[in-house]
Amino acid sequence: MGLAARILKQDPTGEFRHMIHDEVDKWVDQIIDEVFEDGKEPTVMELSQLFSETKQKFFGACFQALIEQKYAGLLEQEYAPCPQCGKMCKKRRSNLKQMVTMHGPSVLKRPWFYCVDCSYGFSPLDKALEISRKKYQFDVQKKSTRTAAEVPFSSGSELFEELTDHPVSDHFIHDTFEEVGEYACLEDVIPSQEEITARCQGVNENSWRPVLVVASDGAHVPTRPKAKRNEKRGKGRWQEAKGFRIYLLSKDRIVHLASWHQIQNEEQFGEDLSFVASRIPQADLRIGLLGDGADWLWKHMVACFPKGRQILDYFHCAEHIHKVARLQYGEKSQKCLEWVESTITRLFYAEVDNVIWGLQRMKPRDTLAKKEIRKLIGYLQNNRERIHYRGDRIGGYPIGSGGIESANKFICHTRMKRSGAWWVKETGNEMLGIRCAIYNGTYNKVFEKYKKSQIPR
Ligand SMILES: [Zn+2]
């Protein structure tokens, strides 16, 4: 080693600067070739394209140079303690690690050790730098998973390359998504108790306790059984994704607390809701429970929030009334409109018994109308105690679950119901989990858990 080299060796920042200057020179040479030769006059688009093509290599090399200087000690290590038993092990060989980050490709030549006692091979650099076993590093994995949560895997791959200049296959996006999805469990997707408490305190703006809304609903998702390789796909069927959204009503806005949707049965729904309820400071809040007439949802909401005010979703209720009016009086007839209006007004003033009495005296136009009238009577009788919209309004409670409807649309329909998309239950639930995490602001936490599981010990 010459004197100059030795001096540089003792000055890692100087050497880093030196290496970067080399890379800049290489890059400038490329640009000069492409731009300044033969009277070329590239446009903005063409220059941008040139930068896209060259920046990966340039930044990838800078990235590599930085690691080589900063972690020189680990790259030149001859002995390292076994992470399992602590025994000193001698370097066996140098292994090449090809990796790609959002900034381009880099190659690291790092030492590899093997402990005979533990039959365990390890690379201390991988642990220190949190290098993924995959070629594409965690920064790429995080963004590609985020992309796949919004668009189908195949277009996700195209879109990703289009926007980042990284060709990432749809298989990679799909497989990574499934691996991250395993960590999108209820415990981490729902904000912590401290976070929820802080959001609750944030809306405490007058002497009344703030209103917490728990809105539950089901949405149908197209599913199919998991097929083995070379096996015909099984018959598809629609299954219900049961879910809830919990939010706070503040003076002029909705403060979101938590959303959770899964393709699951009602017992599991009940367990999940109960888990989330345990993170909520119920005593400091007034609680409104919103839902349509489905029995399973009321059973669990009431069990988890025993002091909650039960409110039959106004929009679902109005839908039933419109249906009867259409069948009985004909679509958009004057009589139809009048009857709807007066019925809804009565319900608004909690005159449920009056409405039921009127329905019982109604002479059905035909058998179809008769059937719907009978259904509506049953529906109102079942939900009698949950209809008090005027009182709800006065108390500052919501009367319609617009909140859950839009959460359902956002979380389920936009990604789950694309034409031709059929979901294996497990993947469907991972998709719902990750989408809920994004919506709840907990995606970083979920991804961190996944990342931890992937880093060598
Ligand atoms: Zn060992």
Side-chain angles (χ1 to χ4, degrees), residues 203 209-213 247-250 285-288 395-398:
V203 299
R209 283 173 300 156
V211 171
L212 175 93
V213 184
Y247 54 94
L248 293 155
L249 285 185
S250 154
L285 302 157
R286 293 181 296 143
I287 296 169
Y397 290 90

Side-chain angles (χ1 to χ4, degrees), residues 86 150 203 229 237 241 246 299 353 398:
E150 304 296 342
V203 299
R229 225 174 252 278
R237 68 185 172 114
I246 301 179
K299 183 173 106 189
D353 289 335

Side-chain angles (χ1 to χ4, degrees), residues 185-358:
C185 56
L186 178 67
E187 198 181 306
D188 293 319
V189 169
I190 301 298
S192 67
Q193 188 161 0
E194 294 71 36
E195 176 62 31
I196 287 178
T197 306
R199 289 189 207 176
C200 291
Q201 281 162 355
V203 299
N204 215 345
E205 39 205 21
N206 53 33
S207 51
W208 289 61
R209 283 173 300 156
V211 171
L212 175 93
V213 184
V214 183
S216 305
D217 203 351
H220 284 93
V221 174
T223 65
R224 63 173 174 80
K226 191 166 192 152
K228 293 199 186 89
R229 225 174 252 278
N230 302 325
E231 208 178 66
K232 238 185 107 185
R233 282 183 173 187
K235 201 171 174 295
R237 68 185 172 114
W238 290 81
Q239 288 193 73
E240 198 173 40
K242 296 182 174 62
F244 49 84
R245 183 185 176 197
I246 301 179
Y247 54 94
L248 293 155
L249 285 185
S250 154
K251 227 181 263 159
D252 47 7
R253 66 200 166 108
I254 280 177
V255 177
H256 177 74
L257 284 189
S259 267
W260 181 245
H261 298 254
Q262 291 281 278
I263 303 164
Q264 61 182 1
N265 62 32
E266 63 145 303
E267 283 81 28
Q268 287 162 327
F269 167 84
E271 281 171 25
D272 290 356
L273 185 61
S274 149
F275 175 81
V276 178
S278 72
R279 287 193 177 174
I280 293 173
Q282 295 194 32
D284 305 332
L285 302 157
R286 293 181 296 143
I287 296 169
L289 307 175
L290 262 177
D292 65 7
D295 287 335
W296 61 265
L297 129 193
W298 286 110
K299 183 173 106 189
H300 295 294
M301 281 204 292
V302 172
C304 297
F305 298 93
K307 286 192 179 146
R309 180 180 172 100
Q310 300 176 40
I311 302 162
L312 182 70
D313 182 86
Y314 171 79
F315 298 105
H316 278 101
C317 182
E319 243 172 63
H320 289 286
I321 288 161
H322 278 282
K323 194 168 183 191
V324 165
R326 274 199 306 273
L327 290 169
Q328 178 72 4
Y329 300 114
E331 188 120 22
K332 286 180 185 160
S333 67
Q334 186 62 28
K335 188 75 188 137
C336 170
L337 292 176
E338 279 170 20
W339 185 80
V340 166
E341 206 164 287
S342 73
T343 304
I344 285 178
T345 307
R346 283 179 184 170
L347 290 183
F348 202 78
Y349 284 91
E351 294 176 21
V352 190
D353 289 335
N354 268 342
V355 172
I356 293 173
W357 185 72

Side-chain angles (χ1 to χ4, degrees), residues 171-196:
H171 284 292
F172 171 83
I173 296 191
H174 182 272
D175 293 351
T176 307
F177 186 91
E178 286 199 333
E179 288 164 34
V180 178
E182 282 176 35
Y183 291 86
C185 56
L186 178 67
E187 198 181 306
D188 293 319
V189 169
I190 301 298
S192 67
Q193 188 161 0
E194 294 71 36
E195 176 62 31
I196 287 178

Side-chain angles (χ1 to χ4, degrees), residues 363-398:
K363 288 205 168 52
R365 187 162 89 166
D366 52 26
T367 50
L368 211 59
K370 186 173 174 180
K371 198 178 129 209
E372 280 308 316
I373 291 169
R374 206 176 281 163
K375 260 167 75 180
L376 180 57
I377 293 172
Y379 177 77
L380 293 173
Q381 281 171 337
N382 272 340
N383 293 290
R384 182 189 265 124
E385 304 303 323
R386 301 180 181 127
I387 301 173
H388 29 56
Y389 299 122
R390 188 164 176 268
D392 300 330
R393 273 278 164 83
I394 293 168
Y397 290 90

Side-chain angles (χ1 to χ4, degrees), residues 402-416:
I404 184 89
E405 296 289 323
S406 63
N408 257 347
K409 273 206 190 89
F410 177 76
I411 288 169
C412 291
H413 306 191
T414 50
R415 182 68 179 90
M416 308 297 282

Side-chain angles (χ1 to χ4, degrees), residues 86-123:
K87 184 181 134 178
M88 268 302 173
C89 305
K90 188 170 166 29
K91 171 181 150 186
R92 291 295 177 106
R93 57 172 184 263
S94 285
N95 270 356
L96 281 186
K97 171 71 188 175
Q98 312 256 9
M99 58 180 212
V100 178
T101 68
M102 289 304 293
H103 306 289
S106 314
V107 183
L108 294 175
K109 195 174 167 197
R110 83 281 202 232
W112 186 77
F113 301 84
Y114 188 80
C115 173
V116 195
D117 295 358
C118 305
S119 309
Y120 184 72
F122 60 97
S123 245

